[in-house]
Amino acid sequence: MTRLIAIFAILVFGNCAAAQEPDFSALKDRLARYVEDGDLPGGVVLVRQGNDTLLSHAFGYRDVEAADPMDLGDQFRIASQTKLIVSVGIMMLIEEGAITLETPLASIFPEWAEVQVATPEGLVPLDRPIVIRDLLSHSSGIGYGFTDAWAGTGLTAWYFAGSARPMRESVRLMATMPLNNQPGASWTYGYNTDILGALIMELMDQSLGGFLEERVFLPLGMTDTQFFLSPDEAENLAVVYSRTDDLTLVRAPDPGGPVGQGHYVNGPQLVESGGAGLISSAEDYATFLDMLRAGGIHDGQRLLKAETVALMPSLSFGALRPLGILSTHFPSDLATR
């Protein structure tokens, strides 16, 4: 069964002038047809060019069975888009001198000093320490546990919303597992940003959600972005749907873990996953992307230095390049930060 959620899509363009007012009627018709044919439950599409919103369009249903139509302000489980937000938090701490790109992970979490690397010949020691740069670029060798060695750890890929084990304890457990490759040797998608989230909590002595609320969400006015919702707050949360083997769209189980509705409303609400835990709306996330596109500033308030934002694509922040938000040029004096 394939997990399929109601989606939001955000397209952000530069300030180039459009030759004429764009016509989105064909796009709207296609999206409506997807809903009618049972290919999608619904979603929100937001298109911006410069400071102008060219399209803000909700289609289909937040809840198909209830015939509850999708609304522009509806919230979605944004999964790995959480990574970019948490990585911005890390870049803030780098700007402030709390850490650098070359700070060894083991200097903050000592258990990572003796981690080993899996090779065809067996386990071998680290060639060099894992550093913050490796975690930001997913080149640390830390995967998502899809190997036999991870069986029995209780770590289920990216999903932590249902966990009652503190993230700090999960990070310790991760360090007992072998790396997929030597740090810096190759790209391996995994728990890197969850570890960065735990690092923020350790350095700042506050919850990850509290840090992001103070440093990112409040300054940007992202009032619909958080890790968990109370039942009273959940009326705008889009339902998760799955596609069966015969391509039928079905309501995913509740809570159902990583392939269901999840424990974002009714659950322990203890673990704020920096890798895939946030809930947000299209407007909130577009505002966050606009801040990056503007070089770290929003409504006259600077969250990051322009040179820090310009550095980010070189660290393989994969959510940025497809959107064309940032230049890949960065000052040489920041390359070692």
Side-chain angles (χ1 to χ4, degrees):
M1 182 175 289
T2 302
R3 183 174 183 264
L4 179 67
I5 62 172
I7 60 169
F8 69 72
I10 303 170
L11 300 178
V12 182
F13 302 101
N15 290 304
C16 54
Q20 60 185 22
E21 190 72 19
D23 180 3
F24 292 105
S25 58
L27 173 62
K28 291 180 179 179
D29 290 344
R30 176 64 62 88
L31 293 173
R33 190 158 65 250
Y34 286 153
V35 174
E36 292 169 5
D37 294 344
D39 294 322
L40 281 177
V44 174
V45 178
L46 183 62
V47 180
R48 284 185 178 168
Q49 184 178 51
N51 294 322
D52 299 324
T53 298
L54 303 184
L55 175 66
S56 186
H57 176 60
F59 65 96
Y61 300 96
R62 176 197 302 127
D63 184 327
V64 174
E65 289 78 13
D68 188 5
M70 189 70 70
D71 186 79
L72 292 174
D74 283 341
Q75 294 172 286
F76 303 82
R77 302 152 188 81
I78 65 171
S80 284
Q81 297 308 311
T82 305
K83 291 179 170 65
L84 181 55
I85 295 176
V86 171
S87 296
V88 162
I90 288 291
M91 299 308 286
M92 290 175 171
L93 297 186
I94 289 174
E95 278 193 353
E96 294 165 8
I99 51 174
T100 74
L101 289 175
E102 308 308 325
T103 296
L105 176 59
S107 69
I108 303 168
F109 294 150
E111 63 268 21
W112 288 91
E114 303 300 327
V115 68
Q116 296 183 298
V117 181
T119 72
E121 292 74 33
L123 298 179
V124 300
L126 293 172
D127 287 342
R128 66 161 176 82
I130 298 170
V131 298
I132 301 303
R133 181 190 298 271
D134 299 323
L135 296 170
L136 286 168
S137 62
H138 283 258
S139 61
S140 66
I142 302 166
Y144 264 136
F146 299 124
T147 64
D148 292 341
W150 287 74
T153 62
L155 296 170
T156 308
W158 51 269
Y159 183 72
F160 286 94
S163 177
R165 175 197 289 151
M167 181 58 75
R168 182 68 188 92
E169 294 305 312
S170 291
V171 170
R172 287 192 180 94
L173 184 57
M174 292 172 194
T176 67
M177 297 292 104
L179 302 180
N180 290 24
N181 53 262
Q182 289 287 352
S186 66
W187 186 84
T188 300
Y189 201 46
Y191 291 115
N192 299 273
T193 321
D194 284 299
I195 295 170
L196 290 173
L199 187 148
I200 288 173
M201 291 190 285
E202 184 78 10
L203 292 175
M204 303 307 293
D205 193 26
Q206 66 181 131
S207 69
L208 180 58
F211 173 84
L212 294 176
E213 179 76 10
E214 175 186 329
R215 302 294 297 275
V216 180
F217 304 152
L218 285 177
L220 293 178
M222 296 172 64
T223 57
D224 293 322
T225 305
Q226 59 258 74
F227 283 102
F228 301 107
L229 298 171
S230 70
D232 292 339
E233 297 171 321
E235 63 178 359
N236 295 327
L237 181 63
V239 173
V240 176
Y241 289 87
S242 299
R243 192 179 300 282
T244 62
D245 292 341
D246 65 359
L247 303 185
T248 302
L249 206 62
V250 297
R251 194 182 189 97
D254 188 5
V259 295
Q261 307 302 322
H263 294 79
Y264 302 96
V265 178
N266 298 307
Q269 300 198 358
L270 294 176
V271 181
E272 298 173 333
S273 165
L278 282 172
I279 293 165
S280 190
S281 65
E283 182 65 33
D284 268 16
Y285 205 77
T287 300
F288 171 74
L289 295 178
D290 279 341
M291 177 274 295
L292 291 175
R293 182 172 54 84
I297 196 167
H298 171 75
D299 199 21
Q301 184 173 359
R302 181 161 293 284
L303 278 72
L304 284 174
K305 296 177 182 177
E307 54 265 38
T308 300
V309 176
L311 171 63
M312 291 168 64
S314 72
L315 299 173
S316 299
F317 287 75
L320 296 177
R321 290 180 179 172
L323 292 168
I325 298 171
L326 305 175
S327 166
T328 56
H329 173 75
F330 60 93
S332 59
D333 66 321
L334 274 178
T336 56
R337 284 179 60 176

